Amino acid sequence: MPFFRRRTILAGAAVLVLGAVVLAWVIVPGREHAARVELGRRLYADHCASCHGTALQGEPNWQYPKPDGRMPAPPHDASGHTWHHSDEELFRITKFGMAAVVPGYESVMPAFAGVLSDREIEAVLAYIKSTWPDRERTYQQERSRGRS
């Protein structure tokens, strides 16, 4: 086989391998993210929607204490304040309860340690974040990077 033809075949093979690597970085993570969001949607429906609402709308009058002094479940959509918290804060609140972030805070929200795995908590949070408009999602990402 002539040198030029062999070189062309090797260059073509290199382009194909490079293309496969790029596709793996772009397509597979997108598919993994979609699967995580779907898992989070199902877990949210099972563990969170009864308080925070099936449409993430929260309880009525969520900004005002109930008669017992505890706050109602806030919305997780863009109308609430969930997107004001970093990934670390959201994870800690979900796993350990509000007192993990605000010492002494009494909440009716249970801690999900022992109920949901870390992976499942991250999936629920991925689902919630997937519903936010770009502005809220960008703000929350910046907050998570410590830039807000």
Side-chain angles (χ1 to χ4, degrees):
M1 178 180 295
F3 176 75
F4 178 74
R5 185 168 178 198
R6 190 175 324 147
R7 201 167 138 191
T8 302
I9 291 171
L10 289 174
V15 167
L16 287 174
V17 168
L18 181 60
V21 169
V22 168
L23 282 175
W25 280 343
V26 172
I27 293 174
V28 173
R31 192 175 314 142
E32 287 176 12
H33 178 70
R36 181 175 11 178
V37 168
E38 176 56 24
L39 172 63
R41 185 192 64 74
R42 290 193 317 268
L43 292 167
Y44 178 90
D46 292 345
H47 298 279
C48 312
S50 62
C51 293
H52 292 281
T54 56
L56 295 89
Q57 77 274 12
E59 289 185 279
N61 300 315
W62 64 273
Q63 294 171 315
Y64 302 99
K66 292 180 175 186
D68 67 2
R70 295 184 181 185
M71 297 300 287
H76 289 314
D77 63 12
S79 72
H81 59 77
T82 306
W83 55 273
H84 294 154
H85 299 288
S86 70
D87 287 338
E88 180 185 350
E89 290 169 326
L90 294 174
F91 182 86
R92 290 179 62 214
I93 290 167
T94 307
K95 185 168 184 171
F96 303 113
M98 276 300 297
V101 176
V102 182
Y105 186 89
E106 291 187 30
S107 173
V108 297
M109 181 176 152
F112 284 91
V115 176
L116 298 175
S117 70
D118 289 359
R119 181 180 158 274
E120 290 171 326
I121 292 170
E122 290 167 356
V124 170
L125 295 174
Y127 163 66
I128 291 169
K129 292 189 283 186
S130 77
T131 69
W132 296 336
D134 288 341
R135 183 179 76 93
E136 286 76 5
R137 191 173 22 246
T138 299
Y139 177 90
Q140 195 274 332
Q141 288 170 345
E142 293 296 315
R143 174 96 185 196
S144 294
R145 291 186 195 121
R147 298 184 189 163
S148 233

CSV table of all heavy atoms in Angstrom, one decimal, residues 32-44 123 126-127 130:
chain,number,residue,atom,x,y,z
A,32,GLU,N,-26.9,10.9,30.5
A,32,GLU,CA,-26.8,10.6,32.0
A,32,GLU,C,-27.5,11.7,32.8
A,32,GLU,O,-28.2,11.4,33.8
A,32,GLU,CB,-25.3,10.6,32.4
A,32,GLU,CG,-24.6,9.3,31.9
A,32,GLU,CD,-23.1,9.3,32.3
A,32,GLU,OE1,-22.7,10.2,33.1
A,32,GLU,OE2,-22.4,8.5,31.8
A,33,HIS,N,-27.4,12.9,32.4
A,33,HIS,CA,-28.1,14.0,33.1
A,33,HIS,C,-29.6,13.9,32.9
A,33,HIS,O,-30.3,14.0,33.9
A,33,HIS,CB,-27.6,15.4,32.5
A,33,HIS,CG,-28.3,16.5,33.2
A,33,HIS,ND1,-28.1,16.9,34.5
A,33,HIS,CD2,-29.3,17.4,32.7
A,33,HIS,CE1,-28.9,17.9,34.8
A,33,HIS,NE2,-29.6,18.2,33.7
A,34,ALA,N,-30.1,13.5,31.8
A,34,ALA,CA,-31.5,13.3,31.6
A,34,ALA,C,-32.0,12.2,32.4
A,34,ALA,O,-33.1,12.3,33.0
A,34,ALA,CB,-31.8,13.0,30.1
A,35,ALA,N,-31.2,11.1,32.5
A,35,ALA,CA,-31.6,10.0,33.4
A,35,ALA,C,-31.6,10.4,34.9
A,35,ALA,O,-32.5,10.0,35.6
A,35,ALA,CB,-30.7,8.8,33.2
A,36,ARG,N,-30.7,11.2,35.3
A,36,ARG,CA,-30.6,11.7,36.7
A,36,ARG,C,-31.8,12.6,37.0
A,36,ARG,O,-32.5,12.5,38.0
A,36,ARG,CB,-29.3,12.4,37.0
A,36,ARG,CG,-29.3,12.9,38.4
A,36,ARG,CD,-28.0,13.5,38.9
A,36,ARG,NE,-27.1,13.8,37.9
A,36,ARG,CZ,-25.9,14.4,38.1
A,36,ARG,NH1,-25.6,14.7,39.3
A,36,ARG,NH2,-25.1,14.7,37.1
A,37,VAL,N,-32.2,13.5,36.0
A,37,VAL,CA,-33.3,14.3,36.2
A,37,VAL,C,-34.6,13.5,36.3
A,37,VAL,O,-35.4,13.8,37.1
A,37,VAL,CB,-33.4,15.4,35.1
A,37,VAL,CG1,-34.7,16.1,35.1
A,37,VAL,CG2,-32.2,16.4,35.2
A,38,GLU,N,-34.7,12.5,35.5
A,38,GLU,CA,-35.9,11.7,35.5
A,38,GLU,C,-36.0,10.9,36.8
A,38,GLU,O,-37.1,10.8,37.4
A,38,GLU,CB,-35.9,10.7,34.3
A,38,GLU,CG,-37.1,9.7,34.3
A,38,GLU,CD,-38.5,10.3,34.4
A,38,GLU,OE1,-38.7,11.5,34.0
A,38,GLU,OE2,-39.4,9.6,34.9
A,39,LEU,N,-34.9,10.4,37.3
A,39,LEU,CA,-34.9,9.7,38.6
A,39,LEU,C,-35.3,10.7,39.7
A,39,LEU,O,-36.1,10.4,40.6
A,39,LEU,CB,-33.5,9.2,38.9
A,39,LEU,CG,-33.3,8.6,40.4
A,39,LEU,CD1,-34.2,7.4,40.6
A,39,LEU,CD2,-31.8,8.2,40.6
A,40,GLY,N,-34.7,11.9,39.6
A,40,GLY,CA,-35.1,13.0,40.6
A,40,GLY,C,-36.5,13.3,40.5
A,40,GLY,O,-37.2,13.6,41.6
A,41,ARG,N,-37.1,13.4,39.3
A,41,ARG,CA,-38.6,13.7,39.2
A,41,ARG,C,-39.4,12.6,39.9
A,41,ARG,O,-40.3,13.0,40.7
A,41,ARG,CB,-39.0,13.8,37.7
A,41,ARG,CG,-40.4,14.2,37.5
A,41,ARG,CD,-40.9,14.0,36.1
A,41,ARG,NE,-40.9,12.6,35.7
A,41,ARG,CZ,-41.8,11.7,36.2
A,41,ARG,NH1,-42.8,12.0,37.0
A,41,ARG,NH2,-41.7,10.4,35.8
A,42,ARG,N,-39.0,11.4,39.8
A,42,ARG,CA,-39.8,10.3,40.4
A,42,ARG,C,-39.6,10.4,41.9
A,42,ARG,O,-40.6,10.2,42.7
A,42,ARG,CB,-39.4,8.9,39.9
A,42,ARG,CG,-39.8,8.7,38.4
A,42,ARG,CD,-39.6,7.3,38.0
A,42,ARG,NE,-38.4,6.6,38.4
A,42,ARG,CZ,-37.3,6.6,37.7
A,42,ARG,NH1,-37.3,7.2,36.5
A,42,ARG,NH2,-36.2,5.9,38.1
A,43,LEU,N,-38.4,10.6,42.4
A,43,LEU,CA,-38.1,10.7,43.8
A,43,LEU,C,-38.8,11.9,44.4
A,43,LEU,O,-39.4,11.8,45.5
A,43,LEU,CB,-36.6,10.7,44.1
A,43,LEU,CG,-35.9,9.4,43.8
A,43,LEU,CD1,-34.4,9.7,43.8
A,43,LEU,CD2,-36.2,8.3,44.8
A,44,TYR,N,-38.8,13.0,43.7
A,44,TYR,CA,-39.5,14.2,44.2
A,44,TYR,C,-41.0,13.9,44.4
A,44,TYR,O,-41.6,14.2,45.4
A,44,TYR,CB,-39.3,15.4,43.2
A,44,TYR,CG,-40.0,16.6,43.6
A,44,TYR,CD1,-39.4,17.5,44.5
A,44,TYR,CD2,-41.4,16.8,43.3
A,44,TYR,CE1,-40.1,18.7,44.9
A,44,TYR,CE2,-42.1,17.9,43.7
A,44,TYR,CZ,-41.4,18.9,44.5
A,44,TYR,OH,-42.1,20.0,44.9
A,123,ALA,N,-30.0,13.7,42.6
A,123,ALA,CA,-31.0,13.5,41.5
A,123,ALA,C,-32.2,14.4,41.7
A,123,ALA,O,-32.7,15.1,40.8
A,123,ALA,CB,-31.4,12.1,41.3
A,126,ALA,N,-31.2,17.9,41.0
A,126,ALA,CA,-31.0,18.1,39.5
A,126,ALA,C,-32.4,18.3,38.9
A,126,ALA,O,-32.5,19.1,38.0
A,126,ALA,CB,-30.3,16.9,38.9
A,127,TYR,N,-33.4,17.5,39.3
A,127,TYR,CA,-34.7,17.7,38.8
A,127,TYR,C,-35.2,19.1,39.1
A,127,TYR,O,-35.7,19.8,38.2
A,127,TYR,CB,-35.7,16.6,39.4
A,127,TYR,CG,-37.1,17.0,39.2
A,127,TYR,CD1,-37.7,17.1,37.9
A,127,TYR,CD2,-37.9,17.4,40.2
A,127,TYR,CE1,-39.0,17.5,37.7
A,127,TYR,CE2,-39.2,17.8,40.1
A,127,TYR,CZ,-39.8,17.8,38.8
A,127,TYR,OH,-41.1,18.2,38.6
A,130,SER,N,-33.6,21.7,37.1
A,130,SER,CA,-34.0,21.6,35.7
A,130,SER,C,-35.2,22.3,35.3
A,130,SER,O,-35.5,22.6,34.2
A,130,SER,CB,-34.1,20.1,35.2
A,130,SER,OG,-35.4,19.6,35.7
